[in-house]
Amino acid sequence: MSNLYLLSLTIFTPLVGVLFILLTYLLREDQEAADNSARWIAVWASVATFVVSLFLWVDFDPTKAGFQFIEKVEWISSLGIHYHVGIDGISLFFVLLSTFLTPICVIASWTAIRNHVREYMIAFLALETFMVGVFCALDMVLFYIFFEAVLIPMFIIIGVWGGPRRVYASFKLFLYTLLGSVLMLLAMLVIYITAGTTNIPDLMTYEFNRGLQIWLWLAFFASFAVKIPMWPVHTWLPDAHVEAPTAGSVILAGVLLKMGGYGFLRFSLPMFPLASDVFAPVVFLLSIIAVIYTSLVALAQEDMKKLIAYSSVAHMGFVTVGIFVANQQGVTGAIIQMLSHGIVSAALFLCVGVVYDRRHSRVIADYGGLVHRMPKYAAVFMIFMLASIGLPGTSGFVGELLVLLGAFKSNTWIAALIATGLILGAAYMLYLYRRIIFGLLKKDELLSIADLNKREILVFTPLVLVVLWMGIYPTSFLEPMEISITKLLVDYDYALASYEAATPNNNMAFR
């Protein structure tokens, strides 16, 4: 396949599905038939998008550090703003993660969503376009539009198809992310006025003075810290997960949280290296608190979704440590950890969705002994539970090991403190698994509960394969991103060294 327009094809193919679903409003009068058509259109559109995105991986040249598949078209000429997209080894796998999880979400929603099905499928396909756009945008304005547009379908998915407190949860999500985004928008205006361009590759080499970097870094941090999320701005996440429909939780944990980490890698480290170095200790402190505190909170949860939501905050603490230790092992581990968490947490929310569809309860105490009636479910759940706690041979092990190695090279105490998260993580996940799966099957409501059906096996199979693939042969993921990460860190170290050489008496550098 020609590389021409391959990236735009990946971004906008879901919108073709949206157009076909809109046609069902005109062509079909029967509600049920129209809903079924919308489901099938959403499946085929999202699968087609995933297939197209695989060509990006096949044609990607891992020996090149710069951006590839570049498309640049003049958009707002008076301001020098372009439709400019491209990917490097860092963004490649976030695009693949988005296109991989979307068809799974659509299939998982097949019977769970019964009202306003067409609108639901439109929201998911639009969300896919915006998510992929975030990871491909090479113009700052284009990035901001995609970054903010993601909030609209997510707000609707939670607010319309969510639980009893869906309105509260959706508005809380909206307000938290909007506050951070306003500060980021102001920072972008300052960048445009100062550098005279919105071109991200140009801005990655632009030398902002240190004082300005400090303020710009803080403004971007406010947005990305909420999105990832970091302690103490994480409180919107458990509410959003609890109230969201299962597929909403899957895509929220699987992809949307990764936008914060991606923002740190695309903006904070390359554009504001001096400020990143200055604020690294603050990030480490917040990350360590997130790892330990939210792990302890997860241990106290009685709601399965809340437990997994708090575990996500703890896992993202590993990610932020890995990014800001700014060495090869740490950054690589952070990216692998984000990819692994995207698969594993999505799968865990799907596991919750399976029993919720049957029992209509997420309370841990309402279950027990499911292995006697659901052996397939118990086996699948166990694989994702072990991946979540980082068992060797699973995807979780690779990311956590690399982050710990990176942290250890930077500071032994940081490595030791976040390592406690591994123990706590094992405690709350084993606690969850034991209470749901093992023990006697005492409750009458569970005596006739059914095991995984064919559709659910179809949903879980690719997730299991990817978790094992990443754990057994991580090189296939590490190689394409290696040179891009190396270039990022070489530029970062050069910026620090140049500043230290120019101001030998400065005392603000962390390293």
Side-chain angles (χ1 to χ4, degrees):
M1 178 179 283
S2 169
N3 290 342
L4 191 63
Y5 305 128
L6 190 56
L7 211 49
S8 289
L9 201 59
T10 308
I11 296 171
F12 295 110
T13 294
L15 292 187
V16 177
V18 171
L19 292 176
F20 276 101
I21 293 175
L22 290 174
L23 283 177
T24 63
Y25 281 96
L26 302 175
L27 301 178
R28 290 181 179 274
E29 294 183 357
D30 179 68
Q31 179 73 29
E32 188 175 348
D35 288 346
N36 279 331
S37 295
R39 292 187 180 100
W40 281 109
I41 291 169
V43 168
W44 286 116
S46 55
V47 169
T49 306
F50 176 59
V51 172
V52 172
S53 69
L54 288 178
F55 284 98
L56 294 172
W57 194 357
V58 172
D59 291 347
F60 187 82
D61 186 349
T63 63
K64 293 182 179 177
F67 292 99
Q68 303 178 35
F69 308 101
I70 292 174
E71 298 171 36
K72 190 172 183 180
V73 179
E74 196 173 82
W75 181 21
I76 306 175
S77 55
S78 59
L79 298 176
I81 298 171
H82 295 78
Y83 169 77
H84 188 191
V85 293
I87 55 172
D88 62 359
I90 295 173
S91 48
L92 169 66
F93 288 106
F94 291 108
V95 172
L96 289 167
L97 179 66
S98 306
T99 60
F100 175 70
L101 285 179
T102 303
I104 289 174
C105 289
V106 171
I107 296 172
S109 307
W110 204 266
T111 57
I113 301 298
R114 298 184 181 278
N115 298 319
H116 304 292
V117 175
R118 284 172 289 183
E119 292 82 354
Y120 179 85
M121 295 303 169
I122 288 172
F124 250 97
L125 291 176
L127 182 62
E128 182 175 23
T129 285
F130 301 146
M131 291 187 302
V132 176
V134 166
F135 300 123
C136 298
L138 293 184
D139 186 281
M140 197 168 54
V141 175
L142 188 64
F143 173 87
Y144 184 78
I145 290 172
F146 281 130
F147 192 81
E148 291 307 298
V150 163
L151 190 57
I152 300 170
M154 199 66 232
F155 176 81
I156 295 172
I157 288 169
I158 296 175
V160 175
W161 294 279
R165 298 175 70 243
R166 57 186 179 275
V167 175
Y168 167 77
S170 58
F171 272 93
K172 191 172 183 180
L173 161 71
F174 191 88
L175 291 174
Y176 266 68
T177 52
L178 183 66
L179 178 62
S181 297
V182 168
L183 295 174
M184 184 170 72
L185 178 61
L186 292 174
M188 287 181 171
L189 290 173
V190 173
I191 288 174
Y192 177 70
I193 293 169
T194 305
T197 180
T198 58
N199 189 330
I200 290 176
D202 290 343
L203 291 170
M204 290 168 72
T205 58
Y206 190 87
E207 295 182 4
F208 296 98
N209 68 64
R210 194 184 68 174
L212 184 57
Q213 280 193 32
I214 297 290
W215 291 107
L216 294 175
W217 189 96
L218 287 171
F220 276 86
F221 180 76
S223 181
F224 299 146
V226 168
K227 191 72 85 176
I228 203 170
M230 294 184 71
W231 184 88
V233 289
H234 68 286
T235 58
W236 63 270
L237 186 66
D239 291 319
H241 272 310
V242 167
E243 299 304 324
T246 298
S249 292
V250 170
I251 210 69
L252 180 62
V255 181
L256 267 63
L257 303 190
K258 311 305 174 293
M259 291 180 186
Y262 178 75
F264 287 137
L265 291 167
R266 184 60 76 224
F267 289 89
S268 301
L269 286 190
M271 293 187 195
F272 321 122
L274 304 180
S276 295
D277 192 54
V278 169
F279 287 112
V282 177
V283 174
F284 296 147
L285 177 62
L286 297 179
S287 302
I288 290 167
I289 293 173
V291 168
I292 298 174
Y293 169 72
T294 55
S295 294
L296 292 172
V297 174
L299 267 172
Q301 297 306 309
E302 292 297 329
D303 184 301
M304 287 186 276
K305 266 193 167 183
K306 271 195 173 182
L307 188 152
I308 299 170
Y310 280 109
S311 78
S312 293
V313 180
H315 280 108
M316 290 303 102
F318 272 82
V319 170
T320 45
V321 166
I323 291 173
F324 283 94
V325 292
N327 55 42
Q328 191 79 26
Q329 292 87 353
V331 173
T332 305
I335 296 173
I336 293 293
Q337 176 78 348
M338 282 193 276
L339 297 175
S340 171
H341 180 267
I343 303 296
V344 174
S345 65
L348 288 172
F349 280 116
L350 285 170
C351 287
V352 175
V354 166
V355 291
Y356 181 79
D357 288 344
R358 290 158 171 75
R359 180 75 170 82
H360 300 293
S361 172
R362 294 189 304 268
V363 178
I364 297 172
D366 287 345
Y367 296 91
L370 288 184
V371 68
H372 301 292
R373 287 288 308 169
M374 305 176 72
K376 296 174 189 171
Y377 176 78
V380 167
F381 196 171
M382 181 180 67
I383 292 172
F384 297 125
M385 181 271 294
L386 294 175
S388 178
I389 64 178
L391 189 80
T394 64
S395 58
F397 173 74
V398 181
E400 289 179 349
L401 177 65
L402 287 170
V403 169
L404 283 174
L405 285 172
F408 187 79
K409 284 181 67 176
S410 177
N411 187 299
T412 307
W413 279 106
I414 295 173
L417 288 170
I418 64 169
T420 60
L422 301 180
I423 301 167
L424 294 171
Y428 61 67
M429 288 309 299
L430 290 171
Y431 160 80
L432 173 69
Y433 190 78
R434 180 186 66 79
R435 292 188 65 186
I436 292 176
I437 301 298
F438 292 131
L440 298 175
L441 192 65
K442 296 178 180 178
K443 296 178 175 60
D444 294 338
E445 299 85 349
L446 302 178
L447 294 177
S448 59
I449 194 167
D451 205 350
L452 296 179
N453 58 39
K454 291 180 181 177
R455 180 180 56 81
E456 290 162 342
I457 292 173
L458 175 67
V459 166
F460 282 117
T461 299
L463 294 166
V464 170
L465 293 176
V466 172
V467 165
L468 297 178
W469 180 11
M470 289 183 70
I472 295 170
Y473 190 59
T475 303
S476 53
F477 295 86
L478 297 174
E479 279 187 353
M481 66 179 70
E482 182 179 357
I483 290 185
S484 296
I485 295 171
T486 301
K487 183 180 185 307
L488 169 71
L489 295 174
V490 166
D491 292 344
Y492 180 84
D493 290 337
Y494 176 78
L496 296 188
S498 298
Y499 178 74
E500 290 172 2
T503 55
N505 296 323
N506 84 84
N507 58 359
M508 293 188 70
F510 172 66
R511 296 187 301 175

